[in-house]
Structures are given as C-alpha cells and as structure tokens.
Amino acid sequence: LSAQTHSTRLHPPPEGRGFTLRLDKKEGILSMETNGLLPQVQDFIKKPLLNLIDGQWSSSIAGEEFSVENPATGDVLAQVAYGKSADIDKAVSAARNAFESGPWARMSGSERSKLIWKLGDLIETHLDELAQLESLDNGKPFNVAKAADVPLAADMFRYMAGWATKIYGDTFAISNPGGTFKTYTLKEPVGVVGQIIPWNFPLLMAAWKLAPALATGCSVILKPAEQTPLTAVRLGELAMEAGFPPGVVNVVNGFGDTGAALASHMDVDKVAFTGSTEVGKSILNSAQGNLKKVSLELGGKSPNIIFADANLDAAIPGAAFSIFFNHGQCCCAGSRLYVEESVYEQVLEGIVQQADAIKVGDGLDLATQMGPLVSREQYERVCGFIDSGEQQGAKKLTGGKVEGDHGYFVRPTVFTNAKPDMQIVKEEIFGPVVSVFPFKSEKDLVAAANDTNYGLAAGIWTENVSKAHRVSSAIKAGTTWINCYNVFDAALPFGGYKESGWGREMGRDVLANYMETKSVCIQI
C-alpha cells in the first residue's frame, strides 16, 4: 500500500486491486449502510467454530468455548472452541506425524507448490466472503480488506509457491590437508512449527506465517488471536479444500495459555510469533525448554520525517496514511512525525485537516474509512494513552474517543508539544494517535528518530536523493520508506532492529526462519 501524489489513492503491489479513500469534513460515526452479509458469511458465523487438528474439525477436549464480538457493536459474532494444552498436544502429534511419516514428508517441492498455489487461488475466489469476515471480526473497512488484505494474502501464497521448487544448498571446495573431499550443503525443513499471529491483520498475518513454512516442507500449528479467529478458521477450511494432507495445517484457537502451551511444547521445533514486544519476551521464556528456534516480529514506534524540500502535496497525506491506516493498529505505524521547522506549521495544519476528514464508522459501511478498534481492551488502552498525553502536558489538536452507546471508536488524534519522556512518545500505542515535532538540523533529527527501544520502520520525505540515502543509512530500522509509506510486497523482507524482533518476514529471507542447514563432507 502506498499514498500517491496529490491524492489519497492507495494501491496494493502490482497485481492487486486499487481503491480510493473519499475524504470530507463530516464528523462523527457513520450510520450502517451496507449491502448486507453474504449468505455464506451468515452461515459461517452461525455455526460453532472448531479447531482443525489432523484434518478434522473438533471441539476442544475440555469442551470449552469463548465468544468473539463485533467491535463496531459489541455484539457476539460467534462461538469458538477454546483449545487448551491437551488440544495443543494432539495438534503437535498430528503435525509431527505429517512431517515425519505422512504424505507431506514424501512430497516434492513441485507437489507442495501446486497445493500452496491452489490455496492462494481459493483465497481469491472467496474474496468478498473473506473481506466481510475480516471486517466483522477486526473492524477494518470492508473496502480495505477487499482491496488489500485478501489480495495480498493470496499473493503471498502464490509467491511462496514459487520458492518451494527453488530451495537448495551449495557445493564448494575446502582446504583441509587430510585428503580430497566433496562437500556440499542441504537446506532441510526445521520440522514442526508453532505460529502465533496477531489481530490487526488476521488473514494477512496467517498468510505471512503459513506460506513460507509450507513452502519449505514444515508442518504447522497456527494459533490465531482470540479477538480475531474467524478468517484463520476459514483459511483452515480452504487448506483442506486445497488438498493439504491431514496434520500439515492445524488451527487451534484460544487465549494466551494456548499460545504458551504451543511455545513451550517440547516436540515443537520452531515458534514464530507476531505481536507486542512484551508478549514476544514471554514467548522466549516459554521456548527455552528445548531451545527451539524462535523468530519474532514485534512492536514499533516508527519515526516519519518530512524535510522542507519534500513534495508536501504527497508528504502530508502520506504522513496521515502512515499513522491512521488500519486505525493506527500497525506495528510500523508512523506515530512520531518529525517536520523541518520551516514547514512545520503548514504540515501540522495539513495533518489535522486530513485527520478531521476521515470518516469513522462501521467497517461494513461502504463509506467508512476508519473502523473501530478491535476490542474494548484496546479501546481502553488507546484512550488511556490519549488521557496520559493531555495530563502530561501535550496539546491535543484534534481527535480522541467517540462517545456512544456501542462500538470501540476513536477518532484520528494529533498531539503537539509532546516531550521525549512522555508515554505517548516512548510507548507503542497501537491506535490512531500521532505526535508531531519540529526539528532544525539533520543531526538532531537522526538522534531523535533513533531515541527508541524499537527499530521496525521509518519514513523519509525529501526531493534530495543524497539526503534520502544519508538519512536512511543513519536510521536504525528494518525498513525505511522514502517518499512513500506502508509499501509491502511478498518479495520485500520485513522485520526490525532492536526490540522490534528477530528474523524477517516475506521475501527470500523468511525461508531461513523455517530451514536448517546441513553440511555434508565426503572423503574421496
């Protein structure tokens, strides 16, 4: 996704579908004006949503369920099987059998590729259905889910399907004086993988995790966020329709105890987690029992930088997009906006205008540009940060929580006069809240931008190519976007420095998360 010059048109990577956000000055929450839920969506949420283990859908062994709610209304959407440690044991056993002795273990890369590609096709076939489920469950606008989340998920499976036939090691000469040797390396799947995904992009994060693991030949236990399990369960159904052997793709729903049971399981070879830095650290503690491999895509407090020589017609809507997209519930959200002093007031005014123009409402309303936050817990967290900012002396120019009888709505919020030690500056809010700072010199700017425990992403807006490269090199972040923001592609690695995580998602780099390197040495 990227903000385009002179407009707020957004587009996914080349093969995706475009859409345009329509901005106006109307305030408040939109009324529901939807085309109605698809019959298959209505049928899906009416049935009990179960765990997928060894190719079978089953209730939890303990017989427990939990409710999932619509964040736009607070109403219960569905009942979901609550997997506990016994369910994790069963799923791990199924995944182990599939990896060691099932058909999956004997499949060639080409055969795996066909299944992974077919799953991508099925996602695209069910585009509207998955977009509605994502909007219901997460709160994001249906238009956004349809234009971005679902097509990008399909693209991820297709991209990784290509890698399934291109995994190979190297041959090389060694200089050992003891004889003549033939040496080479093999790339082998790590084994049984536990994957724990967040609630901000439920389907897309499932694709980011599942596709590369399946491409390398691993078997998987996927644990979706308890707030947003709907599309993960539906994806499990589509995986079975695509023809994956039993035990290769397992989906176990639950809360933190379910994730902890998966991360600590002694027969899991690898755990991959996307979520907060705090929970990521607990995953490390859980994983230490058998020293399983761990990859972590964690939090951020990303700086977004506008120099005076930037194209402000692009930079202002781009900066608004960087923080307000997906309700600010993005690990890479540009939540610290640094603006060169000479254009500070102009940019600040523009950001406020952009914030005030965004339509907030139910995600199924086709005019909505920003839906509710995902849950009451997240709503209270974001509102708490807004309150703390005002109490600590920052000036709120616009935004804040929306009073109402239902739903977890927060308007795009802009702060000035914030100080580096304030909570709203130091901590990840994960909501539509931005702090705007003026800067004088490039040196001071770089120091301020790097003054964080995180290092996930950054944005730089300038027409000076030397400055762009220079500042990009100085920023400690896994991704720097220059004259754009939130551009993602299945081929482009994504991950962070410092407390933003270990390893990379997407691109060729992600394959290393799910492979072992074996060295073979033969004396001739």
Side-chain angles (χ1 to χ4, degrees):
L1 306 176
S2 63
Q4 296 295 92
T5 304
H6 302 302
S7 74
T8 52
R9 181 171 175 78
L10 314 178
H11 67 84
E15 296 181 2
R17 295 169 173 79
F19 67 97
T20 301
L21 295 183
R22 299 177 302 279
L23 302 182
D24 64 34
K25 297 294 184 181
K26 184 177 179 181
E27 298 288 342
I29 298 299
L30 298 171
S31 61
M32 276 289 293
E33 297 176 1
T34 73
N35 294 326
L37 294 179
L38 293 167
Q40 56 267 43
V41 171
Q42 296 181 52
D43 292 342
F44 182 81
I45 62 178
K46 286 177 183 176
K47 68 182 182 182
L49 302 183
L50 306 177
N51 296 319
L52 174 61
I53 300 176
D54 204 16
Q56 301 295 320
W57 293 98
S58 58
S59 302
S60 69
I61 292 173
E64 295 187 37
E65 295 182 335
F66 63 94
S67 299
V68 176
E69 67 177 16
N70 181 345
T73 64
D75 297 334
V76 172
L77 276 174
Q79 295 298 125
V80 183
Y82 188 166
K84 298 292 189 73
S85 59
D87 301 279
I88 291 294
D89 287 342
K90 185 177 178 182
V92 172
S93 177
R96 176 60 62 189
N97 182 66
F99 179 73
E100 299 286 356
S101 56
W104 191 243
R106 298 186 295 275
M107 279 190 181
S108 66
S110 179
E111 290 172 313
R112 291 199 308 275
S113 177
K114 291 175 183 177
L115 291 177
I116 298 167
W117 188 280
K118 186 174 182 180
L119 182 52
D121 283 348
L122 286 170
I123 290 170
E124 186 174 74
T125 298
H126 294 272
L127 173 66
D128 284 359
E129 175 191 349
L130 289 166
Q132 282 195 352
L133 286 172
E134 202 78 327
S135 181
L136 279 173
D137 208 12
N138 168 273
K140 68 179 59 194
F142 166 79
N143 283 336
V144 174
K146 181 176 179 178
D149 296 56
V150 182
L152 291 176
D155 188 58
M156 185 65 181
F157 281 101
R158 289 169 176 156
Y159 174 82
M160 286 298 164
W163 275 113
T165 57
K166 300 169 185 67
I167 295 171
Y168 50 83
D170 297 297
T171 61
F172 47 91
I174 62 173
S175 302
N176 191 294
T180 302
F181 300 90
K182 179 71 172 179
T183 55
Y184 60 92
T185 59
L186 298 172
K187 296 292 185 180
E188 299 180 341
V190 71
V192 175
V193 178
Q195 299 183 322
I196 303 171
I197 59 172
W199 45 256
N200 56 338
F201 295 91
L203 179 64
L204 189 55
M205 293 299 98
W208 280 23
K209 288 288 188 286
L210 276 173
L214 296 174
T216 58
C218 295
S219 57
V220 177
I221 304 97
L222 181 71
K223 190 274 177 190
E226 63 269 21
Q227 298 91 342
T228 55
L230 299 189
T231 49
V233 173
R234 186 70 183 104
L235 184 61
E237 293 180 347
L238 295 179
M240 293 300 96
E241 184 178 341
F244 284 88
V248 174
V249 177
N250 304 274
V251 181
V252 181
N253 299 290
F255 288 75
D257 57 334
T258 314
L262 182 59
S264 63
H265 202 287
M266 297 297 285
D267 201 27
V268 170
D269 301 302
K270 153 83 186 193
V271 62
F273 171 78
T274 295
S276 71
T277 297
E278 179 184 8
V279 176
K281 292 177 180 179
S282 72
I283 294 290
L284 285 178
N285 290 331
S286 297
Q288 65 182 338
N290 65 340
L291 290 180
K292 60 174 60 68
K293 296 182 180 298
V294 177
S295 58
L296 304 167
E297 199 267 279
L298 305 177
K301 194 68 181 175
S302 300
N304 198 10
I305 302 156
I306 298 179
F307 287 97
D309 62 5
N311 177 350
L312 297 186
D313 288 335
I316 291 172
F321 174 60
S322 77
I323 180 60
F324 300 136
F325 172 66
N326 205 51
H327 334 155
Q329 296 174 146
C330 298
C331 53
C332 57
S335 56
R336 295 182 296 140
L337 178 59
Y338 296 93
V339 184
E340 196 162 4
E341 208 169 51
S342 62
V343 294
Y344 175 77
E345 294 297 337
Q346 181 181 353
V347 170
L348 185 61
E349 179 182 3
I351 294 295
V352 170
Q353 289 176 353
Q354 293 275 323
D356 288 342
I358 292 173
K359 283 182 174 288
V360 178
D362 190 300
L364 291 176
D365 187 320
L366 299 183
T368 290
Q369 296 165 307
M370 180 183 291
L373 299 181
V374 72
S375 65
R376 177 174 294 279
E377 179 184 9
Q378 186 63 13
Y379 171 80
E380 292 175 349
R381 171 183 168 82
V382 172
C383 290
F385 274 108
I386 293 172
D387 291 342
S388 77
E390 293 186 283
Q391 291 165 6
Q392 292 178 349
K395 183 179 180 181
K396 186 179 74 176
L397 298 185
T398 190
K401 62 184 177 181
V402 175
E403 303 294 346
D405 297 331
H406 59 267
Y408 310 126
F409 296 95
V410 173
R411 285 207 56 80
T413 304
V414 180
F415 277 105
T416 60
N417 298 339
K419 306 301 180 186
D421 60 346
M422 290 182 180
Q423 280 186 304
I424 59 171
V425 180
K426 294 183 69 68
E427 298 183 33
E428 184 178 37
I429 299 174
F430 226 61
V433 182
V434 62
S435 298
V436 189
F437 307 88
F439 71 88
K440 291 182 179 180
S441 73
E442 188 178 308
K443 179 180 178 181
D444 291 342
L445 172 277
V446 169
N450 286 333
D451 185 19
T452 175
N453 293 333
Y454 299 105
L456 189 57
I460 301 166
W461 300 83
T462 178
E463 295 294 282
N464 184 313
V465 66
S466 295
K467 184 187 298 181
H469 285 292
R470 185 170 63 245
V471 175
S472 175
S473 296
I475 298 295
K476 295 181 173 65
T479 296
T480 55
W481 287 294
I482 299 172
N483 295 329
C484 59
Y485 208 97
N486 280 338
V487 178
F488 300 99
D489 189 89
L492 188 65
F494 182 79
Y497 292 17
K498 299 189 279 188
E499 291 188 18
S500 287
W502 294 351
R504 292 294 181 269
E505 303 290 336
M506 299 194 295
R508 180 180 61 186
D509 292 44
V510 72
L511 300 174
N513 291 349
Y514 301 105
M515 294 191 298
E516 296 276 18
T517 299
K518 176 180 287 183
S519 296
V520 180
C521 181
I522 306 168
Q523 185 164 18
I524 303 300

